[in-house]
Amino acid sequence: MRVKLKIGENEKKFINRVNELTGDNVYRCYQCGRCSASCPMAQEMDLLPNQIIRKVQMGQEEDIIGSKTLTLCASCFACQGRCPKGIDIAAVCEAIRHLLEPKGKDFWGPDDVQPELAKELPQQVLVAVYKKFAK
Amino acid sequence: MRVHYYPGCTLKEKATNLEDSTREAMARLDTDLVEPEGWTCCGAEYPLITEKIHGLIPPVRILRQVEIEEGSKVVTTCAFCFAVLKRANKAMLDNPTLHTRVNEYLADDILIDPTTKEKRTHFESYNGDVQVLHLLEYLRDEVGLGHLKSLVKRDLSHIKVAPYYGCRLLRPQKEVAIDDPETPTIFEDFLNAIGCTVVDFPFKQECCGSYLSASMPETSNEPSYRVLNSAKMNGANVVALSCPLCYYNMDTRQDRIKEEYLEFNGFPVLYFTQLLAWALGADVETLGLDKHLCDPRPLFDIKQNAEDVEVNL
Amino acid sequence: MFEPKIMCFLCKWCTYAGADLAGTSRLEFSPNGINLRVMCSSRIDPQHILHAFKEGADGVFIGGCHPGDCHYVEGNYKTLRRVTLFKTMMEQLGLDPKRLRLEWISAAEGKKYVETMNEFTETIRNLGPLNLEEKTLTEEGVCHE
Amino acid sequence: MKDDGKKKRIGVFVCHCGVNIAGVVDVEKVAELLKDYPGVEFSTDYVYMCSEPGQQLVLDKIKEDKLDSVIIAACSPTLHEKTFQSAAELAGLNPHQVEIANIREQDSWVHPDRDKATVKAVKIVKSMVEKAIQNEDLEPIKVGVFKKALVIGGGVTGLQAAMDIADQGYEVIVVEKEPSVGGKMIQLSETFPTLDCSQCILTPKMVEVTRHPKIKLMTYSEVESISGFVGNFKVRIKKKPRFVDEDKCKLCNECADVCPQIVPDEYNMGLSFRKAIYMPFPQAVPGTYTLDMESCLGTLPIRCGKCKDVCDAQAIDYDMKEEIIEEEVGAVVVATGYDLYDMKALGEYGGENYEDVLNGLEFERILSASGPTGGKVQRPSDGKVPKNVVFIQCAGSRDPENHNSYCSKICCMYTAKHAMLYKHRVHDGNAIVFYIDVRTGGKNFDEFYQRATDDESILYLRGKVSKIFKEGNKMIVWGVDTLTGQKVEVEADMVVLAMAMTKADGVPELMKKLKISIDGNGWLAEAHPKLRPVESLNQGFYLAGAALGPKDIPEAVAQASAAAAKVGALFAKDELMHAPTIVPVIEELCSGCGICVSMCPYGARTLNAVRKVIEVNEVLCEGCGACAAACPAGAAQQLNQSDSQIFSMVKAILRG
C-alpha cells in the first residue's frame, strides 16, 4: 500500500465540511483508538471508527465512500461516551453520508427492506433506518 | 396525579405490551396519563449534523403542544422517543441558532385547540421549558422509590432480572443520560424497589444492534446474543428493558439468533413496566405476555401470588 | 461616533498583569480605558469612583483577582461588597449602575481582559455620555441621567 | 520627607523600544508635549531606555538637572521597574521617586491606531507625573529573619529538602500527616531505569533525617495555620495523638498480637490487613506503634484495652490528647506530593469492583519483597499466579473529556518496569501493554523500554482499552490495535492500570490556608514556570516535588535541593527589606473608630484604647490599602498611593 499524501483545496474543502456539519474539529482526535475498542459493530467493519476519523484528517474522501462502516454505525454513542476528546463519531459518519448524497450515493431505501421483515419490524426501526441511511 | 405522556408510534402498534402495562401500572399509581393532542411520530432519530434541522420539527412540535396544554413535564417509556425529545428540548435551551430557526418554522404551524377546537397559528417561541422524563426518572423523582416499594403487592424476589439500559437512556451523557453512563443504578434501584432480585452484568449498556436489524439483519444477531448470553451467564432468568427496538432485536428475533448460535436456547425478555404492573398487583392478562417469542409466563407464578394479592388488597 | 472616557482601576497582581498579557499577546481592543495600577482592588474607595465621574468619566471599571485568589487574602471580597453597595447608591443618585463594572480577571486572562474592555466600551457607548459636571442636581439632590 | 511646597523637578524619559513603541506611538510628540506640563523639568525620548546608554542618560540627567523624580515611559513596570530604580539610586535618587508609565503592553501593543495610541500615551505619562509630584522618599523597612525552615511533607522530596537545608546549618521541622515518613516512594518495589530497590535507597535517608541534630521530625501531624510573612512565620501544627509514647515503645509487637481489630493495611494498599494498633511497616520512622482510634474496639476494660495490659514498657497511654504546637519559622517548603486518581472514576474498567484489576501502587506492593505476597506475583482474588497480564497506560490521563487532561509522565516508564518485573518473576507469562504513545524522555529511559521489548518480549499494542469486565475467573479486556486496525479482545488473569497521578488529598484546602495558588488540576502554581520553578508567588514559600505536577523521583529530588538552596539564600541574609509603601496613620485625623482594624487581613492595625488612635505594625502591613479605602476620616493614607495622588492621577487621565 502506498499513497501520495495531498492536502489540497478539495481535501481541505472536504475536511472543513465535515467539521462544519459536526460542529467539531477532526484534528482534535489523537488516535487512541478507544472508539474502535468500544464499537459493538467493529467486527463487521472494513474501516474502524478511528480509521474513519484518520481518513478524514488526511482528506482521503475516496477511501471512505466505499466503506461499509458508514452504514454499520447504529449511533449508539459508545465511541463518543468513552472518547477522551468527546468526539461524536456517529455525527462524523452522518456528515459523510450527507456529503455523499449529492454524489448520487443512496445507502438504503424503502425497497431494501426484506418483505418478511416488513410486517414484524417496529415502526421506529423503519423510521430510524430510513432517516439515517436514505437519501 | 395527571401527567403528560408521549407513547410514540411503536407503542400503539408493535409494542402494545409496553403501552398496556405502562397504563395498567400508572393507573395503580393513581397517575392519569394524558397524551398531547394530535401527537405525531417524534422522528425516532435525532439529527446529528447541524444542517438537518427538519429532524427537530416533530419533537419540538410535540413539546410545544404539551406546553400549550399547560403541561410542565412529559413522560415517555420508549427509549428512542425519550432521547429524541430530550435532545431536541436541550437544543431549544442551549442552541440559540436552532432555537430561532425551529421557532421561525413553527410560527406558521396550524393547530387545533383541544378545548375550543379553533384553528390557531402564530405561536410564541418554544424555549425548552417542558421537562422530558423517562418513566424510570418519573418513578424515582416524582413517585419516589420508597413510596413505590410500599405499594408493591406481589413477591417478585424469585425473578432474577438483568437490567438492560441499552444506548439511548445513557448516551450522549451530557444530553440525555438519566444516570452515570458507565455505572448507572437507576434501573437497579427501581427493580430493587419492586422487589426483584437484581443481577449485575457487564453488557447492560452495550448496543443490541439497533436499527441495523432492518438494514443489515444478519449483523444484529451477535450484539443481541452477547447481551442475552451475558445476562444468563451472570445468573439472570430474564432481561428487562425499556426500548421496543431492543425488545425486537432480543426477543422477536430470537429464532434467528438461535439459528446462528446453536447452543442458545432462548431467554425471556420483558419490559420493565410489565414487572412494575405485576408487582403492583395487575392481572396477568393485562401484561401482554402472550406476545413474547420467548414465553416469560413461567416467571409469573400466578397461583402462588394470587393469594398474596387478595391478602394485601 | 461617541468615544466614551473610561477610568480603569486595576489590581497589580491579577488584572494589571492580565492587561500586560493582552499586550504581549498583541490582542487589539478599544483604547477608551486608561489604567491606574493599585496594589489591590480593595484600595478603591467609592470616592475615587465618584471623583472619576466628576472629572468626566463615562464609565468606571475595577479589575481584581478571582474570588479566593486575592494576594491580600480577601481584598476582592471587600471590593465586591463596596461595589455592590455603591451601585445601589448610584441608582439613588440617578446614575446608571451599568456605568460601573467590577470584573475578576486573572494574570492568565489577557483575552478576558480584552473582551471585557470591548464589551464595557460598547455598553458605555450605548448609554451615551454622562456629562456629570454639566448636570444640575435637582432639589432632592438627585441627578437625572 | 515632604517637599515642603517646594516645586518638584521631574524628568520624563520616553522609550522607543525600537519600533515596539515608536512604531505606533509618536514618541517625539509625547516627549515634546510633556515638556510644558507642570512639574516637568526635562523631557526627552530615546531608542532603548533600558540599554546601558539609556540608563546612563537617566543617570546623567538626574545629576545635571537636579531631578528629584523621574518617569520612564516604556514597557510594563513588571519588567524594568527594578532596573531603573537601581539606576536612579546610583545617581543618588530615592528609588521610590521612579515611576514607570506603561506605554508598551498597555498601549502601543494593543492599539495600532497611531493617533489614538499617542493620545493615550500622553495621558498615561501625565498621570504618572501627577503621582510623582506627590511621591515621597521612602526607606525600606528592615525585618529580621527567623532562620528555621518548615517542610510540609515527609516523602522523598520533603526529606531531601530537609536534609539539604539542615546541612547548610539551619534548623528544620518536617511535618508529615502519616504515622511514618517515606511517602509514596517507600511503597515502591524497584525503581526505573536502574531497578534498584526503593526501600534500600530510601530507608537510609529516613534514618539520617531522624539522626540529624538540626532536624525535628513531626509525624502524624498536620499544619493547622500559618500567619506572618517571609522570614517571620508563625506556624500552628496539630499533633494527632498516637496513644503510644514514641520514646517508651520497644517495638516488641505484643500489643498488635493481642489486638482483636483487623483493618485493611494502607501500606499494602489494602491487599493485606493490619491491627488497630500497628507499625505501618518494619522500617517505619519514627520506629513506634500507633493506635488508630477510629478502628479501635474501645479502650475501656469492658470493651477491650488488651494492648495496654500487655505492654510491659507502659508505652500506651489512652489519655493522650491532640496537641497544637506553635513554631516560628522563616521559610516554608511545600512538598505535599500526589495521590493516585480514584479507580472509582473509571466505571468502564469496573471501578474498584474487580479484585484482579489493580492500580500501579497495588501492583508495586505485589512485586515488593515486603509486600503481601512476599514478592511473588499472585492475583488477589484466588492467589493464583496470573499467566496473562494486561497493562493499561493512560488510565485517567490525557482524557480532558472525562478525567484529567494532562499526561501523568511516569506511567510509561513504570508500566515498562511492571511488565519487566512481572516477566522476571513469571517466566512463562504473557505481558501485554496497551499504550497510546510511549514517552521515554530521560536518561537511560528509552534503553530501559527497549530492554522490556527486546529481552522480555513484552507485546506492546497501540490503542486505548475501552472496557474491562469479568467472565468466569477471567478478566475480559476490550482493546484495539490501531497499527493493524483490529479490535482486540484479551482474556486476562489480571489487569494493571497505570492510574493517573492527581493532587494529594486535602491539598486545595491546605493551599488556601497558605495562600499558594493552585492550577485547574489542583497542582501547585510556581511563581514562573520557567525561571522560578520552585518558588511560590507568596514570598517565603518554596515548592517541590509531585505536588507541582507529575514527576519521577530524580526530578522531585532535584526540586527539593533547589528549594533548599532557595531557603539557604534567604537565610544567608540577616535582614529582609520590607516594602515601605504601607498605610500609616495620620494621628490628628484618626478618631479611633477601629473600622480599619477589621479591614486588615494581617492584624497590622490595633486600637490604642488609651490614646484612642490606631497604631500600625509596619512590619505586618503588606500595603494592600483596604484600610485606606475604608477610613472615613482619611487618616489612613497609603504612602505614595494617597487619595490625593489617586485624585490627581484620575484627573490627568480624564482631562489630560
Side-chain angles (χ1 to χ4, degrees):
Chain A
M1 235 189 286
R2 185 172 71 173
V3 66
K4 204 166 192 177
L5 186 69
K6 179 172 168 264
I7 302 190
E9 285 311 307
N10 285 336
E11 287 78 9
K12 278 191 187 138
K13 203 176 140 197
F14 169 65
I15 298 163
N16 289 340
R17 278 296 282 154
V18 172
N19 285 344
E20 257 173 44
L21 287 168
T22 55
D24 205 335
N25 173 8
V26 287
Y27 287 107
R28 295 202 308 128
C29 168
Y30 67 87
Q31 289 292 319
C32 71
R34 216 172 182 210
C35 45
S36 305
S38 307
C39 183
M41 285 294 154
Q43 65 277 3
E44 307 280 342
M45 290 174 175
D46 48 1
L47 286 177
L48 289 179
N50 73 295
Q51 291 175 312
I52 291 279
I53 303 284
R54 193 78 183 136
K55 294 268 179 198
V56 180
Q57 289 175 331
M58 294 170 85
Q60 296 176 339
E61 187 180 359
E62 289 305 314
D63 291 3
I64 308 173
I65 292 178
S67 169
K68 273 168 47 183
T69 302
L70 294 179
T71 49
L72 276 165
C73 172
S75 304
C76 77
F77 305 112
C79 47
Q80 188 239 27
R82 292 187 188 139
C83 173
K85 295 308 226 26
I87 297 170
D88 189 348
I89 297 157
V92 171
C93 290
E94 194 158 313
I96 296 166
R97 286 194 302 265
H98 182 69
L99 291 179
L100 297 178
E101 281 163 13
K103 299 187 178 176
K105 188 94 182 170
D106 197 1
F107 295 94
W108 198 81
D111 299 340
D112 293 328
V113 65
Q114 293 175 15
E116 71 274 19
L117 288 183
K119 53 183 180 297
E120 68 170 45
L121 283 170
Q123 283 70 7
Q124 69 190 106
V125 183
L126 286 165
V127 179
V129 76
Y130 189 68
K131 211 161 170 185
K132 279 285 168 186
F133 299 139
K135 216 172 175 178
Chain B
M1 225 179 332
R2 186 176 174 276
V3 69
H4 274 88
Y5 161 70
Y6 176 74
C9 38
T10 311
L11 271 76
K12 297 292 178 187
E13 285 281 339
K14 295 286 195 281
T16 49
N17 42 355
L18 174 55
E19 161 91 341
D20 297 346
S21 56
T22 301
R23 290 196 167 276
E24 182 66 32
M26 295 318 280
R28 283 166 186 273
L29 291 172
D30 288 330
T31 305
D32 194 8
L33 298 177
V34 186
E35 294 180 20
E37 200 72 29
W39 62 264
T40 61
C41 170
C42 67
E45 273 293 77
Y46 182 81
L48 301 179
I49 57 175
T50 51
E51 288 181 12
K52 287 197 172 172
I53 184 172
H54 55 264
L56 283 161
I57 305 297
V60 174
R61 184 191 274 133
I62 294 161
L63 291 164
R64 193 193 55 184
Q65 183 62 35
V66 172
E67 192 173 69
I68 289 169
E69 294 173 17
E70 290 172 355
S72 61
K73 299 182 179 74
V74 60
V75 176
T76 63
T77 48
C78 166
F80 263 61
C81 302
F82 167 71
V84 173
L85 290 178
K86 189 150 179 193
R87 289 189 80 167
N89 199 45
K90 195 162 164 48
M92 291 300 100
L93 271 172
D94 297 347
N95 189 325
T97 319
L98 291 178
H99 176 269
T100 315
R101 289 180 62 190
V102 172
N103 277 309
E104 270 169 13
Y105 186 91
L106 284 176
D108 295 329
D109 199 22
I110 293 168
L111 180 132
I112 299 166
D113 193 289
T115 43
T116 63
K117 306 291 172 200
E118 277 170 33
K119 277 187 185 176
R120 280 179 62 183
T121 184
H122 299 300
F123 295 99
E124 287 185 17
S125 289
Y126 176 73
N127 303 322
D129 294 330
V130 172
Q131 199 187 358
V132 180
L133 290 173
H134 187 265
L135 185 59
L136 283 172
E137 290 178 294
Y138 183 81
L139 293 170
R140 180 189 61 188
D141 303 335
E142 305 286 329
V143 176
L145 293 181
H147 180 57
L148 179 61
K149 193 172 181 176
S150 70
L151 299 173
V152 169
K153 304 264 189 293
R154 284 197 176 94
D155 177 15
L156 272 65
S157 59
H158 64 289
I159 309 183
K160 295 179 197 143
V161 189
Y164 177 68
Y165 289 86
C167 34
R168 289 294 183 272
L169 298 183
L170 298 173
R171 296 185 295 262
Q173 183 181 10
K174 285 175 189 162
E175 289 170 73
V176 305
I178 61 172
D179 206 345
D180 182 273
E182 297 296 351
T183 48
T185 59
I186 180 171
F187 209 151
E188 285 83 346
D189 295 343
F190 158 76
L191 292 171
N192 278 323
I194 60 166
C196 297
T197 302
V198 179
V199 174
D200 191 29
F201 75 124
F203 279 73
K204 62 182 165 197
Q205 70 276 71
E206 296 300 327
C207 177
C208 66
S210 194
Y211 45 73
L212 297 182
S213 51
S215 56
M216 280 193 235
E218 65 288 354
T219 58
S220 68
N221 290 344
E222 185 182 338
S224 291
Y225 166 72
R226 291 187 83 160
V227 173
L228 293 169
N229 191 46
S230 173
K232 191 176 178 180
M233 296 244 301
N234 281 282
N237 50 22
V238 65
V239 164
L241 41 71
S242 89
C243 173
L245 176 41
C246 302
Y247 173 85
Y248 169 72
N249 284 344
M250 300 209 292
D251 182 77
T252 315
R253 286 180 52 83
Q254 266 192 25
D255 47 353
R256 270 148 283 184
I257 295 174
K258 281 181 193 162
E259 280 168 28
E260 195 172 330
Y261 298 92
L262 298 174
E263 75 283 8
F264 181 69
N265 49 16
F267 196 74
V269 176
L270 288 171
Y271 287 115
F272 73 102
T273 50
Q274 292 173 307
L275 287 166
L276 173 64
W278 179 245
L280 295 175
D283 204 32
V284 75
E285 276 74 42
T286 62
L287 304 177
L289 298 175
D290 53 327
K291 285 181 169 290
H292 294 241
L293 191 107
C294 179
D295 190 357
R297 277 173 292 199
L299 292 167
F300 295 76
D301 190 344
I302 298 152
K303 225 183 225 167
Q304 179 228 309
N305 285 297
E307 291 152 21
D308 295 343
V309 175
E310 270 164 33
V311 171
N312 283 326
L313 283 172
Chain C
M1 191 171 46
F2 164 55
E3 286 300 342
K5 284 185 181 173
I6 296 170
M7 183 68 229
C8 309
F9 297 101
L10 311 185
C11 101
K12 167 185 163 147
W13 304 98
C14 293
T15 314
Y16 193 88
D20 274 351
L21 179 64
T24 37
S25 323
R26 308 294 201 282
L27 303 171
E28 197 188 323
F29 59 96
S30 74
N32 300 55
I34 296 183
N35 302 336
L36 192 159
R37 181 173 73 148
V38 285
M39 296 301 276
C40 176
S41 60
S42 67
R43 174 70 188 90
I44 300 309
D45 186 334
Q47 59 168 332
H48 299 149
I49 305 168
L50 265 178
H51 184 78
F53 285 128
K54 198 188 104 206
E55 291 293 346
D58 301 301
V60 173
F61 174 79
I62 300 172
C65 309
H66 283 270
D69 287 352
C70 177
H71 188 78
Y72 303 103
V73 192
E74 49 186 22
N76 45 3
Y77 293 110
K78 293 169 189 150
T79 313
L80 178 63
R81 289 201 291 267
R82 284 176 192 151
V83 166
T84 313
L85 184 63
F86 188 71
K87 281 190 172 212
T88 41
M89 259 180 73
M90 283 175 78
E91 266 175 24
Q92 292 162 354
L93 289 170
L95 291 166
D96 192 327
K98 284 205 279 294
R99 293 192 184 272
L100 172 62
R101 179 159 175 183
L102 171 67
E103 202 65 55
W104 312 133
I105 298 173
S106 79
E109 294 175 325
K111 211 172 149 222
K112 181 177 177 189
Y113 170 77
V114 166
E115 284 162 3
T116 309
M117 287 328 288
N118 281 336
E119 244 179 63
F120 190 52
T121 307
E122 222 25 64
T123 308
I124 303 297
R125 185 170 283 141
N126 291 335
L127 288 175
L130 177 59
N131 296 332
L132 189 61
E133 57 197 327
E134 289 161 22
K135 290 203 165 97
T136 45
L137 294 177
T138 63
E139 275 171 30
E140 304 89 61
V142 175
C143 133
H144 289 293
E145 228 194 280
Chain D
M1 284 100 306
K2 289 257 180 209
D3 47 352
D4 304 326
K6 199 187 84 198
K7 206 172 146 253
K8 266 233 161 139
R9 300 170 64 85
I10 297 168
V12 174
F13 300 85
V14 186
C15 181
H16 296 205
C17 196
V19 293
N20 280 310
I21 296 171
V24 181
V25 173
D26 185 343
V27 284
E28 285 95 358
K29 192 175 167 192
V30 174
E32 196 55 40
L33 281 172
L34 260 295
K35 275 201 174 113
D36 300 327
Y37 197 75
V40 176
E41 185 65 27
F42 171 82
S43 176
T44 189
D45 58 281
Y46 188 73
V47 60
Y48 283 111
M49 225 62 234
C50 61
S51 66
E52 187 61 39
Q55 292 190 45
Q56 192 60 44
L57 174 70
V58 177
L59 217 148
D60 291 344
K61 277 291 159 192
I62 292 173
K63 288 182 182 161
E64 238 171 72
D65 288 3
K66 298 196 178 54
L67 301 177
D68 49 16
S69 209
V70 293
I71 313 294
I72 315 290
C75 52
S76 169
T78 46
L79 286 143
H80 284 308
E81 193 169 35
K82 285 249 158 61
T83 315
F84 291 108
Q85 284 179 341
S86 317
E89 252 186 315
L90 286 177
L93 191 67
N94 183 290
H96 292 273
Q97 296 289 1
V98 177
E99 292 294 346
I100 307 288
N102 184 347
I103 59 166
R104 191 179 75 174
E105 280 82 351
Q106 299 189 2
D107 190 21
S108 71
W109 275 355
V110 285
H111 308 309
D113 184 303
R114 189 170 180 84
D115 292 338
K116 286 181 179 166
T118 306
V119 170
K120 186 163 175 176
V122 171
K123 291 184 174 190
I124 294 171
V125 181
K126 283 181 179 171
S127 75
M128 296 324 285
V129 173
E130 287 298 339
K131 180 171 193 288
I133 287 174
Q134 298 185 52
N135 269 357
E136 296 173 28
D137 287 357
L138 301 175
E139 294 305 327
I141 298 157
K142 292 190 175 125
V143 224
V145 182
F146 211 90
K147 297 187 182 182
K148 189 175 186 180
L150 168 71
V151 174
I152 308 176
V156 64
T157 311
L159 296 181
Q160 183 70 41
M163 285 298 295
D164 288 351
I165 298 167
D167 283 347
Q168 293 174 75
Y170 305 114
E171 282 187 65
V172 185
I173 307 163
V174 179
V175 173
E176 165 61 50
K177 67 174 175 182
E178 300 297 333
S180 169
V181 295
K184 294 277 185 290
M185 184 176 164
I186 200 69
Q187 292 180 287
L188 306 182
S189 56
E190 291 162 40
T191 56
F192 63 78
T194 45
L195 291 187
D196 38 8
C197 143
S198 185
Q199 294 191 344
C200 313
I201 53 181
L202 188 60
T203 36
K205 213 180 255 300
M206 287 157 60
V207 174
E208 226 181 311
V209 166
T210 47
R211 297 211 177 126
H212 203 296
K214 296 270 183 194
I215 299 177
K216 179 177 167 190
L217 206 54
M218 292 183 67
T219 51
Y220 216 42
S221 303
E222 285 173 38
V223 171
E224 267 289 282
S225 66
I226 297 187
S227 57
F229 51 93
V230 58
N232 297 271
F233 293 110
K234 278 202 175 61
V235 192
R236 285 165 59 84
I237 301 162
K238 181 173 82 185
K239 197 169 187 318
K240 294 178 271 187
R242 218 184 256 280
F243 305 104
V244 178
D245 187 326
E246 296 174 32
D247 300 325
K248 288 188 190 159
C249 176
K250 300 273 186 296
L251 307 179
C252 64
N253 201 46
E254 302 247 337
C255 54
D257 283 342
V258 297
C259 178
Q261 273 303 80
I262 292 173
V263 285
D265 183 351
E266 296 87 355
Y267 178 64
N268 280 332
M269 301 299 291
L271 295 170
S272 68
F273 296 93
R274 63 163 170 85
K275 295 295 183 64
I277 187 162
Y278 70 112
M279 184 147 153
F281 47 94
Q283 309 92 325
V285 168
T288 182
Y289 280 70
T290 301
L291 172 55
D292 156 19
M293 227 11 130
E294 273 173 34
S295 315
C296 179
L297 200 57
T299 56
L300 293 173
I302 66 160
R303 297 303 310 275
C304 179
K306 288 198 175 75
C307 51
K308 193 173 178 178
D309 288 347
V310 82
C311 182
D312 287 339
Q314 296 193 316
I316 296 170
D317 174 8
Y318 293 147
D319 299 325
M320 225 179 243
K321 293 269 168 329
E322 183 179 292
E323 281 176 77
I324 298 284
I325 290 160
E326 295 197 4
E327 291 276 357
E328 276 186 280
V329 298
V332 182
V333 176
V334 184
T336 44
Y338 73 98
D339 270 332
L340 283 189
Y341 191 57
D342 195 350
M343 275 171 94
K344 279 198 200 108
L346 295 174
E348 65 274 34
Y349 293 167
E352 288 180 322
N353 296 332
Y354 301 130
E355 278 180 284
D356 295 330
V357 178
L358 305 176
N359 70 25
L361 269 180
E362 288 169 343
F363 193 56
E364 291 285 345
R365 294 315 302 148
I366 287 188
L367 290 170
S368 172
S370 66
T373 56
K376 259 186 82 180
V377 178
Q378 292 172 309
R379 63 179 197 173
S381 62
D382 53 10
K384 281 196 183 127
V385 177
K387 295 292 179 190
N388 285 297
V389 180
V390 168
F391 296 87
I392 299 172
Q393 295 193 180
C394 302
S397 301
R398 302 182 68 192
D399 187 337
E401 188 69 15
N402 307 306
H403 306 288
N404 305 298
S405 58
Y406 51 83
C407 162
S408 291
K409 198 173 180 179
I410 60 167
C411 324
C412 288
M413 287 304 293
Y414 81 62
T415 299
K417 178 191 79 180
H418 281 167
M420 194 188 274
L421 292 177
Y422 164 70
K423 290 283 281 186
H424 286 174
R425 297 200 188 16
V426 185
H427 301 298
D428 60 342
N430 292 315
I432 298 169
V433 178
F434 281 99
Y435 72 101
I436 309 175
D437 295 297
V438 177
R439 294 173 171 179
T440 54
K443 197 172 172 182
N444 291 322
F445 282 13
D446 205 66
E447 291 86 336
F448 183 81
Y449 162 53
Q450 289 174 42
R451 260 171 66 197
T453 52
D454 300 3
D455 301 349
E456 307 298 343
S457 307
I458 291 158
L459 174 62
Y460 271 74
L461 293 177
R462 195 199 169 280
K464 186 153 178 169
V465 168
S466 93
K467 183 168 175 142
I468 304 170
F469 59 93
K470 197 169 177 176
E471 222 171 76
N473 60 0
K474 296 278 185 193
M475 299 309 305
I476 310 296
V477 177
W478 281 0
V480 63
D481 178 51
T482 59
L483 300 180
T484 54
Q486 300 173 84
K487 180 172 174 176
V488 178
E489 286 191 31
V490 188
E491 282 187 8
D493 299 310
M494 191 164 94
V495 181
V496 179
L497 305 178
M499 289 301 294
M501 289 170 95
T502 187
K503 60 178 184 292
D505 194 28
V507 156
E509 297 76 23
L510 179 62
M511 294 312 136
K512 207 154 198 147
K513 287 185 199 164
L514 307 189
K515 278 180 269 156
I516 291 172
S517 40
I518 50 176
D519 67 16
N521 293 315
W523 305 117
L524 311 190
E526 50 282 81
H528 189 285
K530 304 278 186 302
L531 302 176
R532 296 172 67 193
V534 296
E535 290 165 72
S536 156
L537 270 178
N538 196 1
Q539 278 189 59
F541 288 89
Y542 302 91
L543 318 171
L548 287 144
K551 53 180 56 69
D552 62 12
I553 296 165
E555 270 185 284
V557 169
Q559 283 200 330
S561 295
K566 286 281 170 191
V567 172
L570 177 74
F571 287 177
K573 295 176 197 139
D574 291 322
E575 281 181 327
L576 295 176
M577 303 299 181
H578 187 70
T581 45
I582 58 160
V583 188
V585 168
I586 303 169
E587 291 199 355
E588 304 87 83
L589 296 177
C590 177
S591 64
C593 70
I595 288 176
C596 62
V597 176
S598 62
M599 282 291 126
C600 182
Y602 305 103
R605 308 179 85 82
T606 42
L607 175 65
N608 184 324
V610 181
R611 295 175 54 227
K612 285 267 188 279
V613 286
I614 297 299
E615 286 170 353
V616 180
N617 179 337
E618 54 179 26
V619 171
L620 291 179
C621 176
E622 288 283 319
C624 64
C627 55
C631 179
Q637 288 296 340
Q638 185 160 22
L639 297 179
N640 285 1
Q641 182 96 265
S642 65
D643 285 338
S644 154
Q645 276 173 304
I646 293 178
F647 289 147
S648 310
M649 290 173 80
V650 167
K651 189 173 177 182
I653 285 170
L654 294 165
R655 301 206 184 260

